[in-house]
Amino acid sequence: QVQLVESGGGLVRTGGSLRLSCVVSGTNDDITVMAWYRQALGEQREVLATIGMGGRPNYADSVKGRFTLSMDNAKNTVSLQMNNLKPEDTGTYYCNLKVLVRGRWNDFWGQGTQVTVSS
């Protein structure tokens, strides 16, 4: 069973930093893409950063230059370093894994972790 376990959410002041981590278990050696999403109240869930295994990360314009996605393949862990946080960054953050199996994508999600940035 695929599991994604997140940690690192919490409360932070404007301009502060947080580091989110997501540990993935239960996968084989399938082709994968990992990503971080955010969902604010009353808004759609939006992708913030994506990375293919061994590839270069891609970032949404709203977080480019402030957030950094990194991978530790040996530990099956993906992290999101968030710097210079703003109140607009407040929301529920989700770790996402997409696994390609026999030409079909399977989508897995973490439990979500709340990030609140005070003004």
Side-chain angles (χ1 to χ4, degrees), residues 49-61:
T50 64
I51 188 169
M53 297 296 102
R56 179 180 297 180
N58 300 114
Y59 299 97
D61 289 340

Side-chain angles (χ1 to χ4, degrees), residues 27-28 30-32 97-101 104-108:
T27 64
N28 52 26
D30 298 322
I31 298 173
T32 62
L97 169 67
K98 293 175 171 61
V99 181
L100 184 62
V101 181
R104 300 172 59 187
W105 288 103
N106 293 268
D107 214 20
F108 302 93

Side-chain angles (χ1 to χ4, degrees), residues 8-83:
L11 305 175
V12 66
R13 299 183 182 92
T14 296
S17 298
L18 287 172
R19 185 176 180 87
L20 307 181
S21 295
C22 175
V23 180
V24 181
S25 62
T27 64
N28 52 26
D29 294 329
D30 298 322
I31 298 173
T32 62
V33 175
M34 299 201 71
W36 285 96
Y37 286 72
R38 178 177 65 209
Q39 186 168 21
L41 278 176
E43 299 185 7
Q44 297 183 23
R45 189 173 300 183
E46 64 174 334
V47 61
L48 303 178
T50 64
I51 188 169
M53 297 296 102
R56 179 180 297 180
N58 300 114
Y59 299 97
D61 289 340
S62 61
V63 306
K64 193 173 298 182
R66 300 188 297 120
F67 291 12
T68 302
L69 188 155
S70 60
M71 294 170 22
D72 186 336
N73 290 325
K75 298 181 179 179
N76 291 322
T77 300
V78 61
S79 299
L80 186 69
Q81 178 67 44
M82 306 186 296
N83 297 325

